[in-house]
């Protein structure tokens, strides 16, 4: 079962804005006051295109603000490798930009033209990473008036491969607030509520 989620970026966005918008979306989505710090790491590639060993670097705030992604003129982002890390948890989320091909845009006529660039979030298969990846994609799309798409079965209107406006996606999946709940517990509860979205291995 695929677990990635994505958000369209009709306008460019910085990595810093992706992090900030993601944390805001996760607060709204899960009904929690505190979302852990989210860091972004960059991994360099060797001349053969493979990820270099020991080439990982955590990006500072200034670097996050300098990296712009998305917008109508974006190129596919396979040359750069970014990973999101959640403070206190070992696993990661791979972040990359892809261009929707012409057939995909034609299938969603309202998206054609402006919604070509998409931020795709591919998480490790744990509850915290899966739910955090939803928040990152949802937050980025919401901040740019974009659409949200997921391979998870969250709601009838959010079928696999069916994009909806990010604000609508949030309204469909927002949890009621439970005071005193930790971030990890909220992620677990989210997947319990949407049990069809819990991938094998996300325990």
């Amino acid at each position: 079962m695929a677990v990635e989620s994505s958000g369209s970026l009709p306008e460019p966005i910085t990595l810093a804005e992706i992090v900030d918008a993601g944390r805001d979306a996760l607060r709204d989505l899960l009904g929690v006051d505190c979302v852990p710090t989210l860091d972004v790491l960059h991994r360099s590639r060797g001349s053969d295109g493979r990820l270099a060993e020991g080439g990982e670097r955590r990006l500072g705030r200034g670097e996050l603000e300098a990296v712009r992604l998305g917008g109508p003129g974006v190129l596919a982002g396979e040359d750069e490798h970014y990973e999101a890390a959640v403070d206190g948890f070992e696993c990661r989320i791979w972040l990359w930009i892809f261009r929707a091909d012409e057939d995909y845009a034609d299938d969603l006529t309202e998206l054609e033209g402006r919604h070509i660039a998409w931020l795709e979030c591919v998480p490790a298969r744990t509850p915290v990473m899966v739910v955090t990846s939803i928040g990152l994609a949802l937050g980025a799309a919401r901040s740019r008036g974009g659409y949200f798409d997921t391979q998870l079965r969250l709601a009838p209107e959010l079928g696999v491969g069916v994009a909806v406006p990010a604000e609508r996606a949030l309204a469909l999946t927002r949890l009621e607030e439970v005071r005193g709940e930790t971030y990890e517990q909220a992620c677990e509860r989210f997947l319990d509520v949407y049990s069809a979205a819990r991938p094998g291995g996300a325990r």
Side-chain angles (χ1 to χ4, degrees):
M1 177 181 177
V3 295
E4 58 264 31
S5 296
S6 56
S8 70
L9 300 173
E11 303 296 335
I13 189 171
T14 66
L15 281 174
E17 290 171 314
I18 289 173
V19 169
D20 294 344
R23 295 185 78 230
D24 288 343
L26 286 162
R27 289 189 192 94
D28 293 340
L29 185 70
L30 301 177
V32 295
D33 293 326
C34 184
V35 173
T37 298
L38 303 179
D39 291 314
V40 178
L41 300 99
H42 177 265
R43 293 184 65 186
S44 57
R45 293 182 183 272
S47 58
D48 59 358
R50 296 183 179 182
L51 292 174
E53 292 294 333
E56 182 176 276
R57 187 167 57 85
R58 192 175 304 269
L59 300 182
R61 183 71 187 186
E63 293 173 296
L64 295 176
E65 292 173 346
V67 177
R68 295 175 66 82
L69 305 170
V74 71
L75 299 176
E78 294 183 0
D79 291 339
E80 300 293 337
H81 186 94
Y82 298 105
E83 293 181 0
V86 183
D87 186 41
F89 299 89
E90 293 183 1
C91 297
R92 304 275 181 81
I93 301 164
W94 178 28
L95 309 176
W96 68 291
I97 299 292
F98 74 92
R99 285 183 63 89
D101 61 29
E102 188 172 331
D103 290 338
Y104 184 76
D106 287 344
D107 288 343
L108 300 165
T109 54
E110 71 272 30
L111 304 188
E112 191 171 1
R114 295 184 68 240
H115 299 268
I116 295 300
W118 291 74
L119 170 69
E120 180 144 5
C121 303
V122 184
R125 301 170 75 87
T126 71
V128 167
M129 295 303 130
V130 169
V131 176
T132 302
S133 70
I134 292 171
L136 286 168
L138 188 58
R142 183 171 67 159
S143 73
R144 292 300 183 268
Y147 280 65
F148 174 77
D149 188 14
T150 183
Q151 295 300 305
L152 299 164
R153 301 185 187 91
L154 296 181
E157 194 174 325
L158 276 172
V160 175
V162 177
V164 300
E167 286 286 4
R168 177 61 179 159
L170 180 62
L172 288 169
T173 55
R174 186 195 306 264
L175 296 182
E176 295 183 6
E177 181 180 358
V178 174
R179 294 191 180 277
E181 194 173 41
T182 68
Y183 181 71
E184 185 172 15
Q185 288 170 336
C187 290
E188 287 275 6
R189 181 164 62 95
F190 184 90
L191 292 182
D192 286 342
V193 170
Y194 300 104
S195 58
R198 182 183 284 274
R203 297 287 185 267

